Amino acid sequence: MSIFDKLESQVRSYSRGWPVVFDKAQGSWIYSEDGKPYLDFFAGAGALNYGHNNPALKQALIDYISRDGVTHSLDMFTTAKRDFLESLDEQILQPRNMEYKVIFPGPGGANAVEGALKLARKVTGRESVINFTNAFHGMTLGALSVTGNSMKRGAAGIPLVHATPMPFDKYFDGEFPDFFYFERLLEDSGSGLNEPAAVIVESVQGEGGINAARLDWLKGLSDLCKKHGILLILDDVQMGCGRTGPFFSFEEAGIEPDMICLSKSIGGYGLPMAITLVRPDLDVWSPGEHNGTFRGISPAFVTAAAALRNFWNDDTLEKSTKAKGEKIAAAFGKLVDAYPEAELIAKGRGLARGLEFGQAEAAGKVAAAAFDRGMLLETSGPSDEVVKLLPPLTLTDEELDKGLEIISESVESVLSR
């Protein structure tokens, strides 16, 4: 692995916890170049909801490339883009009675967030945006300004302005009514809070520690935004595309965000792709006002359309995701009961699950122990105190059982020392 040490920047991170060279992957498994299998409960940080090299998506991609389909197209019209838009409309938007325009920004989640923030400011003529404690929205300057993590914010090297953090759900452990502080500042002309253009929120904070907002809290936030004429941006980059069960993570709250940011698994196959959905009346861009060279990557359109057609023409995947999530919740509940001194907290929704440790360093040790046993797990939270599970939604029951067995053994190996 000397070439990585010689040439790759110190900024690399995941490879430090998983010091092997990976070569192949299929479904819920990824293999090192010496053939050792690893059960993947990381899934590309949520970019591989349908697993590695899903056969249906792979065949669609191979067929498209084999016939010399257009690969790079900026925002030109292509058959691949048309197929994706028709699939999105037929499989996702129409069945949910949702009416949105689709912005194709650059291919990453931060690009989708930047587009939403810029458009909100353009529409409203205001500068201020409200974000939430422990939020993560991306590493570009606009997205970073509405991110909570101090280490990531500090890397900007300049002041991050025009954003004001508010307490996320359960931040005060129920000591105050929901939005007590936020609404008080909005209604007090002496608070110093500039009139916000938008609020940006994740329904489940992934990088923030698998903090799942209550559905009532999300509904209350939506109502608050409508009351005060504030646009609501829902960042579903990591938690969308079925991660919590429904296609959108906010569906069960019964809300209709003004803008929705999607990336990661929207491409289906792990190919770079992002979109920002906006209410039609908010689509006031001038041509080219927000663009990017790689906003038209046709192979990603192909696999995205195939994923929508294969997995979202009924509720089979949604039901399976919820059932498997409950199985993880039950297993985590047993660990919480088994180790009261460790102050464990089981967190999450669907197949976005977390196990928080009272001693933050224990989470990293558990992830390392799991890797030694042939499993990929990451940590999250402000102090990396949460073992974070994002397995493929398509994993089998046997793979889930195997993963829970490895996690249980890893927790025991760390906490029994």
Side-chain angles (χ1 to χ4, degrees):
M1 294 192 290
S2 60
I3 191 64
F4 301 112
D5 291 330
K6 178 182 178 181
L7 290 183
E8 190 176 5
S9 166
Q10 292 276 35
V11 79
R12 64 188 185 277
S13 58
Y14 295 116
S15 56
R16 296 180 185 276
W18 307 323
V20 299
V21 179
F22 294 107
D23 181 45
K24 295 182 179 180
Q26 207 329 283
S28 302
W29 297 87
I30 186 168
Y31 300 85
S32 61
E33 62 180 344
D34 62 3
K36 181 175 178 178
Y38 291 85
L39 185 57
D40 189 358
F41 272 38
F42 171 64
L48 296 165
N49 282 5
Y50 313 110
H52 293 274
N53 289 304
N54 182 279
L57 311 190
K58 179 168 66 175
Q59 191 59 55
L61 179 60
I62 290 171
D63 291 345
Y64 184 78
I65 293 173
S66 295
R67 71 170 184 82
D68 291 329
V70 173
T71 294
H72 181 273
S73 60
L74 293 141
D75 68 358
M76 294 183 286
F77 298 144
T78 63
T79 56
K81 182 194 283 189
R82 181 174 61 199
D83 190 30
F84 166 70
L85 287 172
E86 288 175 346
S87 297
L88 179 70
D89 194 36
E90 293 167 5
Q91 304 297 335
I92 304 301
L93 299 181
Q94 289 187 33
R96 292 162 178 78
N97 294 313
M98 299 172 74
E99 188 177 0
Y100 289 92
K101 286 293 191 76
V102 183
I103 300 170
F104 294 100
N111 302 118
V113 169
E114 293 283 357
L117 295 176
K118 286 170 64 176
L119 184 58
R121 288 171 170 139
K122 178 179 175 66
V123 167
T124 63
R126 308 170 197 160
E127 296 178 349
S128 176
V129 173
I130 301 297
N131 61 298
F132 290 95
T133 50
N134 291 314
F136 179 78
H137 296 289
M139 297 296 243
T140 50
L141 290 180
L144 202 56
S145 72
V146 291
T147 288
N149 186 285
S150 59
M151 181 273 286
K152 293 179 172 64
R153 290 176 61 87
I158 62 171
L160 298 170
V161 296
H162 306 307
T164 303
M166 291 292 165
F168 191 69
D169 189 21
K170 299 188 284 290
Y171 188 78
F172 291 118
D173 294 324
E175 293 182 24
F176 301 95
D178 292 344
F179 313 112
F180 171 79
Y181 179 63
F182 187 9
E183 192 153 30
R184 184 71 175 268
L185 292 181
L186 284 172
E187 295 177 350
D188 182 0
S189 61
S191 70
L193 178 66
N194 293 330
E195 190 175 15
V199 168
I200 185 167
V201 67
E202 306 153 274
S203 60
V204 181
Q205 295 180 326
E207 294 301 310
I210 307 294
N211 305 315
R214 291 170 295 129
L215 300 181
D216 286 347
W217 187 87
L218 290 172
K219 181 66 167 63
L221 177 62
S222 176
D223 292 343
L224 181 65
C225 288
K226 290 178 181 178
K227 176 181 177 182
H228 291 275
I230 304 169
L231 298 176
L232 178 60
I233 303 170
L234 202 301
D235 181 345
D236 234 4
V237 167
Q238 187 168 79
M239 296 299 158
C241 303
R243 175 54 56 184
T244 65
F247 186 83
F248 296 108
S249 67
F250 57 84
E251 286 185 47
E252 293 173 320
I255 64 175
E256 296 180 0
D258 299 292
M259 305 184 193
I260 304 165
C261 301
L262 291 170
S263 185
K264 291 191 183 286
S265 278
I266 188 61
Y269 199 69
L271 297 175
M273 181 177 170
I275 60 175
T276 307
L277 304 178
V278 301
R279 275 185 9 224
D281 60 297
L282 302 178
D283 185 31
V284 297
W285 292 116
S286 298
E289 195 171 9
H290 185 68
N291 58 24
T293 302
F294 293 100
R295 65 192 183 278
I297 305 178
S298 295
F301 293 156
V302 170
T303 54
L308 296 177
R309 289 194 301 267
N310 278 275
F311 293 103
W312 294 102
N313 57 5
D314 60 31
D315 61 0
T316 300
L317 183 64
E318 177 178 347
K319 289 180 177 178
S320 170
T321 297
K322 289 181 177 179
K324 289 169 182 172
E326 290 304 315
K327 193 170 188 177
I328 295 174
F332 278 7
K334 291 179 180 178
L335 290 173
V336 171
D337 293 340
Y339 302 99
E341 71 285 352
E343 301 176 307
L344 302 178
I345 301 174
K347 311 170 75 175
R349 198 159 78 230
L351 281 175
R353 294 286 169 172
L355 188 63
E356 181 177 325
F357 288 75
Q359 298 296 318
E361 65 275 8
K365 292 177 180 177
V366 169
F371 178 74
D372 290 341
R373 290 166 171 78
M375 184 180 192
L376 302 189
L377 290 173
E378 68 168 326
T379 58
S380 69
S383 301
D384 284 322
E385 72 277 16
V386 178
V387 170
K388 178 181 177 184
L389 275 64
L390 294 177
L393 308 184
T394 52
L395 86 166
T396 65
D397 290 330
E398 292 75 18
E399 290 167 340
L400 178 56
D401 290 340
K402 177 67 174 176
L404 292 175
E405 179 183 346
I406 291 175
I407 293 169
S408 180
E409 291 175 355
S410 300
V411 169
E412 181 181 6
S413 72
V414 170
L415 296 184
S416 62
R417 292 173 188 171

